[in-house]
DNA sequence: TTGGCAATCTGTAACGTTTCAGTATAGTGA
DNA sequence: TCACTATACTGAAACGTTACAGATTGCCAA
């Protein structure tokens, strides 16, 4: 389909979207001059510059993305790579909003690149890099030895990870301090007289699984509480699985009197399992859980919660990627978010 | 930044991404022939065609999006326009996955275009159309008289709406049959002996608000139940607001003995309000609620639920937009999803 | 006056693709 | 043999942008 209206667009055809040529015609300048004037190049006279920018604003000139991208290779796109099965629901929503918030007044667009359970997590990243579809990439579910991070570092494409890696390679990340979270949770439970604690871990293989486990273990020995092993369960299992396993656990006589849970959805299942076993939350057992939206206290007011802000994570990750694209030192684009105190229901 | 390696790429420089020129060089054909061979043009010899396609596959040729877009105007992008404040959490996540599922084996990318409370909902749509940033658009929160739909129809850009409009204009949509949902809910409650029902409506102004209200009203008179007005509340208010208003309502002596709620988050607040007033779910009052993930039965097993599948919505919307882009009749790209039966907790 | 230089501005080419307007070759009918 | 046509292919131009390598002007030092 050829959309031409006149044989040779002199920029006067009105209806069409204005281009540099349109601006050049209107200002009586050359296309090159207009291009440079718009990006404040120093060799353009101050008045010319102002004039061009004024006209551009007046007629609503917007650079053609395809033109820029073809010429410069710059896509003005950042891609968020998400697992279609295992991401937390609120995570997806909030992180997207966090990212869009930051890129709102930049020329960047956000594309969502999904991958499914069956795929190698490296696939979508490889696709993005090979096709040059984005200037920067955000990935979640970071692993200690993360092939995606390694790959992108090799290829020199800016990226940021949600969660840290542990490969001795430096790259931007944003992470929630899950070591601190687990520690706080244990100390809080100990403060309420709980001494036999079970941990519902993040998915094995992800970096923050280790952080959480360590924080839990270190705090346990600090307060002199003991762990009730619950290794068969992690937060990306199905609600039914977690519920069933929890009920099983709670029917044993060496059952825990406290839980630390790394995700709200898992917590719902844990509570259901506890109640299936005929026990009562707050009396027989306490549960400290992370949550990303303020819903757990509605669910059971006895729940003890720590908030994790995924929207903040999205913003930080976007800032990090943009920073790296902008030439900043990747090592300076790392942030760690400190957990709030454990919150009990008030009122 | 100029990324050229050789003065004139003859397609042999190896490291660079292959282009049509590379293929032309390798096959000994002209660039034009290669281009046409790849898209099965009839005037290319059958053997040549196969040969070109083989080589292309071998070296992993991928058309350059910027090149195509610049030349043809086709972006191979569809944009999902979302409100950053009012969308339901699960909606965002599920609809995105639904869309990506459908476009997974097409050349399309999904970009997320957000707008905030303070903005005119038309803004992001106008931006997309004016900058030609997408071949198709998906919008949510459809209104009976929707300026966005009207605008896109005028501009001739393919789109689909989540929810119907009511302007006498035909365009693709996917909708959940909220009239049927509200009706089912009322009949179910009536079947349990409930006769004084309150409706927690969708946001006023959206089309499905009307559908829900009508379904509710029609079923009420059908079963001979009465409505307890609860117009001060709708599902996009804050949890606290809904909770407080519900508690107020439930302390009155003419309180309802049944609720129909259009969203899970609101339902949590309603239940909290009910319990704040010292009443018990299932005994004093029943609540039928829509939900999009299977969590409400964990929350209170007495809740009665109807499932709405947002992932399906995403898929249907994507299919609709792609269909329209592909030249299908917009009127044939409309779908309505029928609610499941009301589900009580089993087991 | 001349040469040099700084300050501004400009034309051309190129990014990768598709469309247009051909060209070359072989085959057909007279 | 010739004109004609169908088949298979091709180069050039264009989409909108930026980088490169000039051009033009005015001013100043020599």
């Amino acid at each position: 389909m050829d959309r031409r209206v006149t044989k040779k667009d002199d920029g006067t055809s009105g209806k069409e979207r204005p281009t540099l040529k349109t601006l050049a015609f209107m200002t009586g300048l050359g296309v090159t001059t207009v291009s440079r004037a718009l990006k404040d190049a120093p060799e353009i006279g101050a008045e010319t510059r102002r004039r061009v920018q004024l006209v551009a604003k007046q007629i609503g000139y917007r650079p053609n993305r395809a033109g820029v991208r073809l010429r410069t290779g710059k896509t003005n796109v950042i891609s968020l790579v998400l697992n279609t099965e295992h991401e937390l629901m609120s995570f997806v929503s909030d992180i997207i909003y966090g990212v869009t918030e930051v890129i709102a007044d930049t020329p960047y667009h956000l594309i969502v690149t999904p991958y499914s359970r069956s795929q190698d997590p490296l696939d979508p990243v490889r696709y993005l890099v090979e096709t040059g579809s984005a200037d920067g990439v955000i990935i979640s579910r970071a692993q200690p030895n993360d092939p995606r991070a390694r790959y992108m570092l090799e290829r020199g494409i800016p990226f940021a990870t949600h969660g840290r890696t542990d490969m001795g390679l430096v790259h931007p990340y944003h992470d929630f301090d899950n070591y601190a979270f687990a520690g706080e949770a244990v100390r809080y439970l100990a403060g309420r007289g709980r001494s036999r604690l079970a941990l519902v871990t993040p998915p094995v293989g992800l970096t923050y699984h280790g952080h959480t486990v360590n924080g839990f273990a270190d705090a346990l020995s600090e307060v002199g509480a003991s762990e009730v092993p619950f290794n068969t369960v992690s937060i990306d299992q199905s609600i039914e699985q977690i519920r069933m396993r929890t009920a099983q656990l709670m029917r044993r006589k060496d059952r825990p009197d406290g839980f630390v849970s790394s995700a709200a959805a898992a917590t719902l299942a844990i509570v259901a399992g506890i109640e299936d076993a005929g026990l009562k939350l707050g009396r027989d057992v306490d549960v400290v859980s992370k949550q990303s939206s303020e819903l757990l206290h509605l669910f059971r007011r006895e729940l003890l919660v720590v908030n994790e802000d995924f929207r903040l994570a999205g913003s930080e990750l976007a800032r990090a990627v943009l920073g790296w694209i902008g030439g900043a030192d990747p090592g300076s684009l790392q942030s760690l978010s400190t957990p709030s105190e454990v919150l009990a229901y008030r009122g």
Side-chain angles (χ1 to χ4, degrees), chain A residues 13-338:
Chain A
S13 17
K15 195 64 195 160
E16 302 292 304
R17 195 148 86 90
T19 70
L20 287 182
K21 207 185 289 181
T22 320
L23 284 178
F25 179 80
M26 295 181 74
T27 55
L29 296 165
V31 172
T32 303
T33 309
V34 172
S35 172
R36 314 207 9 109
L38 287 177
K39 43 178 58 68
D40 285 321
E43 64 270 48
I44 303 297
E47 196 203 307
T48 305
R49 188 157 44 203
R50 263 179 299 131
R51 196 159 59 90
V52 170
Q53 291 178 355
L54 178 70
V55 176
K57 175 153 290 181
Q58 289 293 335
I59 66 175
Y61 167 77
R62 311 271 208 149
N64 179 302
R65 312 193 116 231
V68 175
R69 181 165 170 175
L70 182 57
R71 177 64 238 238
T72 64
K74 182 135 210 279
T75 62
N76 283 311
V77 163
I78 84 167
S79 175
L80 176 63
V81 177
L82 291 176
N83 185 296
T84 17
E85 272 107 16
H86 286 304
E87 308 287 3
L88 306 170
M89 223 170 56
S90 57
F91 175 73
V92 175
S93 167
D94 285 344
I95 205 171
I96 285 178
Y97 287 149
V99 171
T100 56
E101 212 172 280
V102 168
I103 67 177
D105 31 52
T106 73
Y108 283 89
H109 285 178
L110 171 67
I111 85 177
V112 176
T113 308
Y115 66 101
S116 60
R117 193 199 312 271
S118 54
Q119 276 182 340
D120 185 345
L122 193 50
D123 280 355
V125 172
R126 223 190 264 118
Y127 167 83
L128 289 170
V129 172
E130 281 176 2
T131 61
S133 288
D135 297 333
V137 175
I138 297 173
I139 60 175
S140 66
R141 302 176 65 82
Q143 302 175 13
N145 188 330
D146 199 305
R148 302 168 299 172
R150 191 184 304 281
Y151 178 85
M152 289 190 279
L153 274 172
E154 277 167 9
R155 304 307 165 109
I157 184 176
F159 68 97
T161 62
H162 184 239
R164 283 162 282 179
T165 61
D166 189 16
M167 314 181 283
L169 297 176
V170 42
H171 61 81
Y173 63 77
H174 175 83
D175 204 356
F176 182 81
D177 190 343
N178 287 284
Y179 179 90
F181 157 69
E184 285 298 317
V186 166
R187 280 185 288 273
Y188 192 89
L189 289 170
R192 289 172 75 104
R194 305 301 186 180
S195 61
R196 305 183 37 72
L197 308 183
L199 175 64
V200 180
T201 67
V204 179
L206 305 194
T207 315
Y208 82 113
H209 174 271
H211 295 152
T212 309
V213 167
N214 291 340
F216 184 73
D218 289 357
L220 275 185
S221 66
E222 175 192 328
V223 301
S226 67
E227 171 169 15
V228 177
F230 197 31
N231 306 320
T232 50
V233 168
S234 83
I235 59 168
D236 57 355
Q237 283 165 6
S238 75
I239 297 289
E240 291 73 28
Q241 286 254 332
I242 302 177
R243 177 176 186 170
M244 194 195 65
R245 295 253 162 76
T246 305
Q248 279 173 3
L249 179 71
M250 296 310 285
R251 282 193 251 264
R252 285 165 31 189
K253 53 178 167 299
D254 59 340
R255 63 167 186 252
D257 57 6
F259 279 90
V260 176
S261 166
S262 292
T267 302
L268 301 188
I270 292 165
V271 171
I274 289 171
E275 295 174 351
D276 287 346
L279 300 173
K280 185 161 170 10
L281 196 64
R283 186 190 63 195
D284 306 308
V285 57
D286 277 319
V287 177
V288 177
S289 174
K290 269 204 297 186
Q291 70 172 358
S292 64
S293 45
E294 318 265 329
L295 295 178
L296 286 180
H297 275 154
L298 287 175
F299 178 61
R300 295 288 184 274
R301 62 189 57 182
E302 296 83 3
L303 282 169
L304 308 163
V305 303
V306 173
N307 292 313
E308 174 169 6
D309 188 341
F310 288 136
R311 192 184 266 242
L312 173 70
S315 296
E316 288 296 312
L317 289 167
R319 258 188 278 276
V321 174
L322 293 188
W324 197 358
I325 292 173
D329 171 29
S332 70
L333 300 168
Q334 305 173 330
S335 59
L336 195 61
S337 153
T338 307

